[in-house]
Each structure stands twice: as C-alpha cells, then as structure tokens.
Amino acid sequence: MNPYLFGYLGAAILALSALSLTRKNPVHAVLYMIVMFFHLAVLYLGLGAEFLAAVQIIVYAGAILVLFLFVIMVLNIKEEMEGERFSGGWPFGIAIASGLFLLVVLITGNIVPGQQGPYTPGVIAAQTNTKLVGTLLYTQYIFPFEIASLILLVAVVGAIVLAKKKLR
Amino acid sequence: MVPLQWYIWLSVALFMTGVFGFLTRRSIIMMFLSIEVMLNAVNLSLVSFAHFLNDLRGEVLALFVIAVAASEAAIGLAILIALFRNRATAQIEEVKEMKG
C-alpha cells in the first residue's frame, strides 16, 4: 500500500474515532463511526482482504450501527445530552490509555514475523481471496463456524426475551 | 511499502482510543460504541498479520470476531432497553443496585 494513502487512512481513522467517542449527541457519534468503518474497509482492501472489507461495510456499518441508531431513537434520551459527558476520571483514562500504548509500541518495535503460511499473493491471485476464505471456513473451521451460528441464535433469542415487555 | 509495525501501531492507537472512551464516558451507549472500536482495532491487527504472514487464518478469525460483536451489540442494546424501561436512565453512575 502507498505510504501516503496509509497515512491519510490512519490519521482519518484515529481522528474520526476520537471525534466519535467524545461527542455529546450519540447520533453524531454513530455517524462519525460509520465514516470510520468505511475508512477501515479501504484499509482492509489494501491488505488484500476483499471479503472482509465487504463484510465490514455490510455487517458493521449496515447492521450493527443501524441497530445502535435504532436503539438511540427508541430510547429518546434528551436529558442524557444535557449532563456532563465524561465521568470524573478522564485524566486517569488518558494516563492508562497512553501508558498501554507506549508499552505495546516499545514491545512491537523490533518484531520479527514468524513462520510464513501457504497463502502467498500468487496463490490468492489464482484462486481469489473470497474463495480461499470460504474454503477454510467450511473445511478446517467448520466446527467454530457452527458455534458462531449458535452464538448468533442465542443472541437473537436473548435480545427478544430481554427487550420484550411481558413474557407470557 | 508500509511495514507491519505501522499497522500494529495504528491498531494499538485505535484500541487505546476505545479504552479511553470506555473508561471515561458516562453514557452506556457510548461505552458500547467504545467496545465496537476496540473490536475493530483487534480485527485490523488480525487482518494485517494475515497479510504479512501469508496466512488466511487471521481473516477467518476476524470473521468470527465480527459475528461475536454483532451478538454482543444485540444483547447489550436489549439489556439497555430493559434498563431504560425500569430506570429511565442510560447513565452508568445511576445504576448501582449491585453496589459495585
């Protein structure tokens, strides 16, 4: 990937997420987050993960954040927007976040990539990324895939049970 | 070419933005949004490792993370609706029945 493109995408992702998490109005925060997810999808495209970029836009921007917007509209939180937006410990939060960031940067400064896998760019170009991911998902990872579907089923049932007014 | 470290540092910075939001925001909705940011940061590092190690298992794992994030958002927002129905608040400091 072009370093300038990476610089723009990285700066935009960080700025948009910081903007999003400091907004007072949750609707504005979700809209900033959607733009951030689109930038992240472009970054995935640059890393050769086409299927994941599509899933990022469809599932994250299309489903999860719309669910957030839906709940914000249902709850009608007017008074939430008038109070203080941060709790008292925000210097503590900045200290913890920047300390952990420095720690990980120090550790990963001279990281050496481990053993290379079999999916070189030539193999991926011959078979396409989507087909290879699908093949892995339905052969080697079929059992985790079924567990993921079970988790989604539990989430559907649990969400209905929790949000329903009265269970008969 | 962009080295692997840049992607990892971007991912860590994104994760720490989420950590800061989760620790400091008072609204439960904003805390859920911070969790989504953190999960996306982890996904970014998984995809960049998959690219630089020529191994697609990272992308498969990122798909599972997205599935878990979707169910977490559904359950969390349902809990938020139930809480709002009983307490008419979405501020984390107002919810103290458990004496936590």
Side-chain angles (χ1 to χ4, degrees):
Chain A
M1 179 182 274
N2 189 334
Y4 294 106
L5 180 60
F6 178 85
Y8 162 68
L9 286 173
I13 286 170
L14 287 182
L16 284 168
S17 60
L19 265 176
S20 162
L21 294 185
T22 50
R23 288 309 91 187
K24 193 162 250 189
N25 190 335
V27 177
H28 296 172
V30 170
L31 293 178
Y32 276 120
M33 192 78 75
I34 288 178
V35 183
M36 194 271 272
F37 283 169
F38 273 90
H39 282 80
L40 214 53
V42 176
L43 207 56
Y44 289 170
L45 278 182
L47 285 167
E50 296 117 16
F51 182 66
L52 215 57
V55 166
Q56 173 83 10
I57 290 176
I58 295 171
V59 175
Y60 257 118
I64 296 182
L65 287 188
V66 169
L67 187 67
F68 269 93
L69 271 184
F70 186 72
V71 169
I72 291 168
M73 304 285 186
V74 164
L75 290 189
N76 187 24
I77 38 179
K78 276 243 172 57
E79 63 197 73
E80 305 296 323
M81 284 156 51
E82 281 155 12
E84 196 61 35
R85 78 184 88 165
F86 292 114
S87 61
W90 65 268
F92 184 65
I94 284 186
I96 285 193
S98 48
L100 280 174
F101 176 72
L102 283 180
L103 196 67
V104 179
V105 165
L106 277 178
I107 289 170
T108 56
N110 47 5
I111 188 171
V112 181
Q115 197 183 357
Q116 298 279 313
Y119 298 99
T120 55
V123 175
I124 293 178
Q127 293 217 13
T128 74
N129 169 269
T130 308
K131 189 179 174 188
L132 284 173
V133 170
T135 310
L136 261 184
L137 206 56
Y138 280 101
T139 53
Q140 194 181 346
Y141 291 96
I142 184 69
F143 191 56
F145 185 75
E146 298 293 341
I147 293 176
S149 65
L150 198 65
I151 289 175
L152 286 170
L153 179 69
V154 169
V156 168
V157 176
I160 293 173
V161 168
L162 282 171
K164 205 167 170 0
K165 226 171 210 150
K166 271 226 166 59
L167 285 174
R168 269 183 284 170
Chain B
M1 284 305 289
V2 179
L4 174 59
Q5 275 90 346
W6 291 18
Y7 285 101
I8 298 175
W9 293 338
L10 175 61
S11 154
V12 174
L14 195 60
F15 191 88
M16 289 314 154
T17 317
V19 168
F20 170 72
F22 187 79
L23 287 179
T24 53
R25 289 305 298 251
R26 293 174 72 235
S27 161
I28 298 178
I29 293 176
M30 296 308 298
M31 291 172 77
F32 278 129
L33 273 181
S34 311
I35 294 177
E36 299 299 327
V37 169
M38 287 193 266
L39 288 168
N40 268 284
V42 172
N43 268 352
L44 175 59
S45 79
L46 283 174
V47 174
S48 53
F49 274 119
H51 176 73
F52 282 93
L53 293 179
N54 292 332
D55 199 334
L56 283 179
R57 283 179 291 181
E59 293 184 16
V60 173
L61 196 52
L63 276 175
F64 289 135
V65 171
I66 288 178
V68 171
S71 33
E72 172 262 330
I75 294 281
L77 291 173
I79 289 176
L80 183 60
I81 287 180
L83 182 72
F84 202 80
R85 187 177 294 137
N86 287 325
R87 304 290 312 274
T89 183
Q91 302 284 348
I92 193 70
E93 287 151 2
E94 307 284 324
V95 186
K96 50 196 175 192
E97 272 83 8
M98 304 280 278
K99 310 278 185 199

